[in-house]
Amino acid sequence: QVQLVESGGGLVQAGGSLRLSCAASGRTYSYGMGWFRQAPGKEREFAAVINWSGDRTQYADSVKGRFTISRDNAKNTVYLQMNSLKPEDTAVYYCAAGVGGYDYWGQGTQVTVSS
């Protein structure tokens, strides 16, 4: 029903910025969309989520104040603006979508922050 494809990852120096995009195909009406990340040897963790209308967001404490999630429903795309990046932000970032839970997941995009 829904396919998610992340893009925008890459290598950046500490203190730099990246903007991730998640393009969705299929019907995502009423779906919340979120970003998760997973570093090598660690469990996947929540980063940010946004509701359908885009007027409510939630962030993990580790990214609050540095990351901003947004969405453009006309383009069926969600974004994650990442500023003031730190080496500990290095991870594979995944986009997810769903209503009650996250039913759909993207393949992930690598973000590497060098010191």
Side-chain angles (χ1 to χ4, degrees), residues 29-85:
Y29 179 74
S30 83
Y31 283 20
M33 298 189 73
W35 287 95
F36 292 74
R37 63 186 187 179
Q38 186 170 26
K42 298 181 66 178
E43 296 181 2
R44 188 173 299 183
E45 66 176 0
F46 165 80
V49 66
I50 188 168
N51 69 343
W52 166 253
S53 61
D55 61 351
R56 295 185 67 183
T57 59
Q58 185 181 143
Y59 299 92
D61 288 342
S62 58
V63 308
K64 194 173 298 181
R66 299 187 298 119
F67 291 10
T68 302
I69 187 171
S70 62
R71 68 190 300 168
D72 185 340
N73 289 341
K75 296 181 178 179
N76 220 185
T77 301
V78 64
Y79 306 94
L80 186 68
Q81 179 66 47
M82 306 185 295
N83 298 326
S84 301
L85 283 163

Side-chain angles (χ1 to χ4, degrees), residues 1-6 21-28 31 33 71 73 75-78 95 97:
Q1 289 183 288
V2 175
Q3 294 184 129
L4 306 173
V5 180
E6 303 94 336
S21 297
C22 175
S25 62
R27 188 176 185 271
T28 60
Y31 283 20
M33 298 189 73
R71 68 190 300 168
N73 289 341
K75 296 181 178 179
N76 220 185
T77 301
V78 64
C95 178

